[in-house]
């Protein structure tokens, strides 16, 4: 990347501390802590169900415009974009957080305060990331920080579950900024030590097995979709997993049949396969698809002469590429140094986030926690505690300015 890094990442981050407007922007996060939390409450009170991010995107667009960002828009996929233009458009750094949650449209997104804690579905994942975008832009505008490169702030859609990274995929492969992005930083959830530089790959399937169905006694011998599905699950459960890299599978949902004394006409399951390495993911993937085929063949083999065969449909419903931004790349080194500067021991980590996509495209990308602490993630009892959030935001600002640089 044509990074503005003129010296080593470590020196760059340290040098930033002696720039007066940067020092003021760093303390902005402390003096404005209450306002940042109020903003987080406003964003998270707007429903953000999976595939229903529009209202949040519109709110964020309003904020981006009010902050003086330019080229503010909601793109064709539903992402909300705003540009903080530097002297040059290169390097162009994307700073993002995701608008969606794992919750359905009928969820109550009301935020409740309980002592220091804020309670609401999605309040941390990714409410604290979304408010970090606003806090960073506001600190930079208030303290008149003039970057050399430009920053494209983005609230993405479809990060969670079956969203399958559709927002970031559009942004980086089809959107009008696609070929211009040189580095990517996303905030996902709380924390100050985590630097996710390795992308956890996954493949997700929906399997549907259908057959003629019939009476449990009268038609016994007909191939049974539930039995076939169970055979497939049993084979998958026996998969010889490698010790390293970490590789996992999960049959997360299973359904089928209508009554205890009917041979079902249909059975279905949703399966999640993950691995830290592509080669292991591919191995698990082929085993799984073979297992489903063998399971159906075995069930079909026992059918009576003339009975119809079971039909098997295996749909890939999600795919996240794996890969990594090397630990010695400027972006990761900068994040390591910025974490140490704010007094925290950094920790490199592997996870499945919006950064998976840029990493797979060869764009240096990391995901950081946006400060604060949280618990009960992905449940209705999710909470966030903003205490010391400023530490996370300071680290974030140092990373952002280290990449785009300051106007000479
Ligand atoms: Zn998230």
């Amino acid at each position: 990347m044509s990074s503005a890094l003129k010296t080593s990442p470590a020196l760059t981050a340290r040098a930033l501390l002696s720039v007066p407007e940067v020092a003021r922007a760093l303390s902005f996060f402390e003096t404005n802590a209450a306002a940042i939390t109020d903003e987080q409450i406003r964003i998270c009170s707007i429903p953000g169900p999976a595939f229903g991010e529009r209202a949040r995107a519109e709110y964020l667009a309003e904020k981006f415009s009010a902050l003086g960002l330019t080229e503010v828009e909601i793109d064709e996929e539903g992402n909300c974009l705003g540009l903080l233009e530097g002297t040059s458009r290169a390097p162009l750094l994307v700073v993002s957080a995701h608008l969606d949650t794992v919750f359905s449209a009928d969820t109550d997104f009301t935020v409740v305060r309980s002592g220091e804690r804020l309670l609401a579905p999605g309040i941390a994942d990714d409410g604290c990331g979304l408010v970090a975008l606003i806090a960073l832009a506001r600190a930079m505008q208030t303290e008149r920080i003039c970057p050399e490169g430009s920053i494209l702030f983005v609230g993405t859609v479809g990060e969670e579950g079956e969203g399958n990274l559709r927002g970031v995929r559009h942004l980086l492969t089809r959107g009008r900024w696609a070929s211009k992005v040189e580095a990517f930083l996303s905030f996902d959830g709380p924390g100050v030590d985590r630097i996710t530089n390795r992308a956890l790959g996954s493949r997700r399937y929906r399997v549907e097995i259908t057959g003629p169905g019939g009476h449990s006694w009268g038609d016994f011998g007909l191939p049974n979709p539930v039995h076939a599905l169970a055979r497939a699950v049993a084979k998958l459960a026996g998969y010889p997993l490698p010790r390293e890299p970490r590789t996992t599978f999960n049959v997360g949902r299973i359904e089928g049949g209508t009554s205890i004394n009917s041979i079902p006409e249909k059975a279905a399951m949703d399966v999640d396969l993950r691995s830290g390495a592509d080669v292991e993911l591919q191995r698990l993937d082929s085993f799984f698809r073979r297992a489903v085929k063998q399971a159906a063949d075995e069930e079909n083999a026992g059918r009576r002469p003339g009975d119809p065969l079971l039909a098997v449909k295996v749909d890939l419903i999600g795919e996240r590429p794996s890969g990594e931004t090397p630990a010695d790349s400027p972006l990761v080194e900068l994040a390591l140094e910025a974490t140490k500067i704010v007094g925290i021991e950094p920790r490199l980590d592997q996870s499945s986030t919006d950064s998976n996509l840029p990493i797979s495209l060869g764009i240096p990308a990391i995901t950081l926690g946006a400060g604060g602490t949280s618990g009960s993630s992905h449940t209705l009892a999710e909470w966030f505690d903003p205490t010391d959030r400023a530490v996370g935001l300071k680290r974030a600002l140092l990373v952002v300015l280290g990449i785009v640089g300051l106007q000479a």
Side-chain angles (χ1 to χ4, degrees), residues 97-358:
H98 64 87
L99 293 159
D100 59 321
T101 67
V102 295
F103 304 99
S104 59
D106 57 1
T107 306
D108 181 357
F109 284 91
T110 309
V111 181
V112 176
R113 277 187 193 258
S114 168
E116 291 301 312
R117 288 184 176 185
L118 309 176
L119 288 97
I123 187 71
D125 184 8
D126 192 15
C128 67
L130 291 170
V131 80
L133 304 185
I134 294 173
L136 284 169
R138 178 156 283 152
M140 290 179 68
Q141 299 292 51
T142 306
E143 304 305 340
R144 299 197 157 73
I145 290 179
C146 304
E148 191 180 329
S150 296
I151 303 162
L152 186 64
F153 288 98
V154 184
T156 60
V157 295
E159 191 276 338
E160 299 284 6
E162 291 174 30
N164 199 29
L165 309 184
R166 67 190 174 95
V168 69
R169 199 182 302 272
H170 176 85
L171 178 77
L172 298 177
T173 62
R174 295 186 298 277
R176 68 189 180 95
W177 297 96
S179 58
K180 304 183 176 81
V181 177
E182 289 179 78
F184 184 96
L185 169 62
S186 109
F187 299 112
D188 204 337
V192 284
D193 61 338
R194 172 172 53 95
I195 301 165
T196 302
N197 67 318
R198 285 174 296 144
L200 176 63
S202 68
R203 304 199 105 209
R204 290 174 175 170
Y205 287 100
R206 177 157 301 146
V207 177
E208 205 178 271
I209 302 181
T210 47
H215 193 282
S216 64
W217 170 260
D219 296 313
F220 184 75
L222 276 175
N224 183 318
V226 168
H227 295 186
L229 204 64
R231 289 178 196 265
V233 175
K235 286 177 199 291
L236 181 62
Y239 180 72
L241 286 168
R243 237 179 242 283
E244 275 297 323
R246 184 170 154 83
T247 302
T248 65
F249 53 79
N250 183 54
V251 179
R253 212 176 59 82
I254 190 158
E255 64 178 18
T258 50
S259 84
I260 191 169
N261 52 349
S262 305
I263 297 169
E265 289 171 67
K266 193 167 103 176
M269 65 174 168
D270 291 349
V271 184
D272 175 53
L273 312 175
R274 299 183 181 219
S275 179
D278 252 341
V279 55
E280 284 302 335
L281 186 57
Q282 275 162 27
R283 188 171 295 154
L284 172 61
D285 185 82
S286 353
F287 178 91
F288 164 72
R289 282 181 292 126
R290 225 170 28 244
V292 172
K293 188 180 178 310
Q294 282 170 359
D297 287 349
E298 286 168 17
E299 185 64 23
N300 280 328
R303 76 191 196 285
R304 300 168 306 186
D307 281 346
L309 292 164
L310 293 175
V312 181
K313 198 155 117 335
V314 179
D315 289 326
L316 181 68
I317 57 171
E319 184 171 24
R320 296 179 177 219
S322 60
E324 71 176 308
T325 302
D328 60 358
S329 69
L331 179 59
V332 178
E333 284 195 347
L334 191 60
L336 289 166
E337 190 61 24
T339 311
K340 289 180 201 154
I341 287 175
V342 299
I344 305 288
E345 192 51 42
R347 178 172 59 87
L348 293 180
D349 161 81
Q350 179 171 50
S351 184
S352 178
T353 68
D354 267 344
S355 287
N356 282 49
L357 212 278

Side-chain angles (χ1 to χ4, degrees), residues 15-33:
L16 283 168
L17 298 174
S18 58
V19 178
E21 60 265 36
V22 174
R24 286 198 304 272
L26 293 174
S27 46
F28 175 96
F29 301 126
E30 268 151 17
T31 45
N32 290 276

